[in-house]
Amino acid sequence: MRRKIVVGNWKMNKTVAESTELATAVIAALGDGCSGCEAGIAPTYPALDAVGRALDGSGIALVAQNCHYEDDGAYTGEVSTGMLKAVGCTYVIIGHSERRQYFGETDETVNLRIKKVLASGMKVILCVGETLAEREEGVTGTVVSRQVTGGLKGVADITDLVIAYEPVWAIGTGKTASSDQAQEVHRLIRDTVKGMYGTEVSEAVRIQYGGSVKASNAEELFAMPDIDGGLIGGASLNAADFAAIVKAGC
Ligand code: 13P
């Protein structure tokens, strides 16, 4: 039985003070929480330290939105895995479509980052997903499997890796993939993983859905056999909504 995982990706939102306040409100809204669902929060880099302190003892994981693949040096504007680990991060989101779309992230750089995060002892959330044009062209399967195989090239062990399927056309648009549409791609991702790592690993790997997940649709999505939780953008900026989504995974 795969334990569900729900992570709030706050993207480029909230000051440090606002982030701390929101993290505290999430803890309060979760109350006793639920052991059935792992929860995480990914604030901006400047807020990681403060949010990490606010989350201390709550059981909610501190997640980074990205990292660089070098240890240190002349890479202006970048943050290393060592720095993220030192501040208490346990997961790093890699290859989000916004990174691919606006910041030139490719399967090759995604692959380098994944190897670095896993070598550092943190866990990875690998994001994959097709654009609207790709879906309309009928190449969703090709694109998503290429992102999975490219991202995982030469990665021997994916015990500490979660995959997030986020159709680009569903992100921030209010257009959620239907539970059947999402399930179909989640199955395809699991089959791709099976081809690379075998049945046991493919049945164990968790695959989150992301793209306009709300408290009102989370339960239906999470009930699908291959959907193991969610990566939540907009709705994670409201403590009650995010807590309700986590509870839908319990
Ligand atoms: P929304 O939930 O705002 O559609 O964002 C999804 C996402 O990109 C999470 O990483």
Side-chain angles (χ1 to χ4, degrees):
M1 185 71 182
R2 296 180 295 267
R3 188 173 174 220
K4 292 211 172 16
I5 172 166
V6 172
V7 172
N9 175 10
W10 291 356
K11 306 191 180 182
M12 196 173 74
N13 291 292
K14 307 280 176 194
T15 63
V16 175
E18 290 165 350
S19 299
T20 312
E21 196 179 321
L22 180 55
T24 308
V26 167
I27 296 167
L30 274 174
D32 289 339
C34 57
S35 55
C37 182
E38 191 175 352
I41 285 176
T44 60
Y45 286 143
L48 280 172
D49 186 48
V51 169
R53 288 173 206 276
L55 295 180
D56 196 28
S58 70
I60 301 173
L62 185 65
V63 180
Q65 296 179 16
N66 187 28
C67 70
H68 194 51
Y69 48 81
E70 295 292 349
D71 287 327
D72 46 40
Y75 301 99
T76 302
E78 293 297 328
V79 171
S80 74
T81 52
M83 294 164 192
L84 296 175
K85 199 171 176 194
V87 88
C89 291
T90 51
Y91 281 92
V92 185
I93 298 170
I94 298 292
H96 192 281
S97 65
E98 288 148 16
R99 302 286 331 158
R100 296 179 192 256
Q101 202 176 343
Y102 306 131
F103 303 101
E105 197 82 62
T106 62
D107 289 336
E108 288 71 32
T109 55
V110 163
N111 180 249
L112 290 172
R113 284 175 168 80
I114 288 175
K115 286 175 176 161
K116 199 70 192 179
V117 173
L118 294 177
S120 78
M122 292 186 291
K123 299 174 188 174
V124 168
I125 297 174
L126 162 61
C127 300
V128 298
E130 82 287 5
T131 63
L132 182 59
E134 288 163 341
R135 175 159 283 262
E136 285 173 348
E137 263 175 65
V139 294
T140 298
T142 318
V143 169
V144 169
S145 346
R146 189 203 68 220
Q147 290 171 335
V148 171
T149 46
L152 298 181
K153 195 172 172 193
V155 177
D157 185 347
I158 59 162
T159 312
D160 287 338
L161 182 132
V162 175
I163 297 172
Y165 169 57
E166 298 204 305
V168 179
W169 50 271
I171 296 178
T173 58
K175 285 186 202 153
T176 323
S178 70
S179 47
D180 287 334
Q181 271 175 326
Q183 166 59 28
E184 188 184 356
V185 183
H186 279 238
R187 187 67 239 174
L188 182 145
I189 292 170
R190 206 174 293 291
D191 284 343
T192 305
V193 172
K194 184 176 172 181
M196 297 176 78
Y197 297 95
T199 307
E200 200 175 319
V201 172
S202 76
E203 287 306 316
V205 72
R206 293 181 295 176
I207 309 174
Q208 299 173 292
Y209 169 78
S212 298
V213 178
K214 301 181 263 306
S216 56
N217 60 21
E219 209 163 320
E220 185 185 336
L221 284 160
F222 298 173
M224 301 309 281
D226 288 296
I227 300 184
D228 307 312
L231 187 53
I232 321 300
S236 71
L237 296 170
N238 177 291
D241 289 350
F242 182 64
I245 297 170
V246 173
K247 285 180 183 166
C250 290

